């Protein structure tokens, strides 16, 4: 659903490829939103400049799992998908890299810190994965893990305060210092 923020009315409905939608992210460089669909393991591109029409649907890897909430950073979309993160280039529609970040469990939503050029992704194995921002598609491998009480499901960042926040299924929010890469609260 497309909602006008002045009237709070639905102004358009867009049909996506999948039916189990799990996240939406906006890519300002292409004027598109990207919608991850669990049941089809795809990322749909929807133009907001051209009548809210679907422009493409990209297959994600691996094909047997469903994606989680994507993020947009560095001109790329990053989609947690099973044990990997698909780094997709909105300009070409190609997955440029899909590094494996966890050997068991699944990668969950994360954040990107432009100051350190690193990502921090949640996971279902009670830890956070600190990932290099270098590599194909602007993402590399795990450089550090941070133990937490439960598996995560959501993430947010405040770059100015140098903090990231991860909601975990142990019933708490883990606050991570982006400078020390340690849980501080």
């Amino acid at each position: 659903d497309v909602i006008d923020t002045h009237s709070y009315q639905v102004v358009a409905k867009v049909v996506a490829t999948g039916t189990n939608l799990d996240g939406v992210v906006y890519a300002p460089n292409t004027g598109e939103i990207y919608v991850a669909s669990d049941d089809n393991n795809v990322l749909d591109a929807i133009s907001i400049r051209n009548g809210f029409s679907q422009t493409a649907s990209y297959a994600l890897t691996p094909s047997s799992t469903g994606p989680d909430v994507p993020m947009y950073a560095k001109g790329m979309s990053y989609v947690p998908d099973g044990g990997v993160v698909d780094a997709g280039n909105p300009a070409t529609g190609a997955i440029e890299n899909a590094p494996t970040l966890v050997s068991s469990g699944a990668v969950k939503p994360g954040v990107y810190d432009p100051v350190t050029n690193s990502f921090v992704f949640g996971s279902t194995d009670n830890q956070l994965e600190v990932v290099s921002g270098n590599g194909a598609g602007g993402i590399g491998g795990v450089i550090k893990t941070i133990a937490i009480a439960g598996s995560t499901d959501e993430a947010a960042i405040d770059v100015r305060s140098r903090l990231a926040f991860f909601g975990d299924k142990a019933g708490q929010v883990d606050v991570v210092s982006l400078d020390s890469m340690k849980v501080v609260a």
Side-chain angles (χ1 to χ4, degrees), residues 79-172:
V79 186
D81 193 7
V84 308
V85 171
D86 290 306
N89 185 334
T92 65
I95 302 297
E96 293 188 0
N97 195 3
T100 299
L101 303 187
V102 296
S103 58
S104 65
V107 180
K108 300 302 273 179
V111 297
Y112 173 69
D113 179 13
V115 174
T116 60
N117 187 30
S118 61
F119 297 87
V120 184
F121 286 98
S123 71
T124 58
D125 59 357
N126 297 4
Q127 65 184 23
L128 303 174
E129 315 294 330
V130 181
V131 178
S132 167
N134 298 318
I139 189 168
V142 176
I143 53 179
K144 179 179 182 170
T145 59
I146 303 168
I148 57 172
S151 66
T152 63
D153 200 37
E154 292 297 334
I157 188 170
D158 182 349
V159 175
R160 177 183 256 165
S161 71
R162 308 294 303 135
L163 297 172
F165 308 89
F166 295 87
D168 76 30
K169 294 190 177 185
Q172 64 190 31

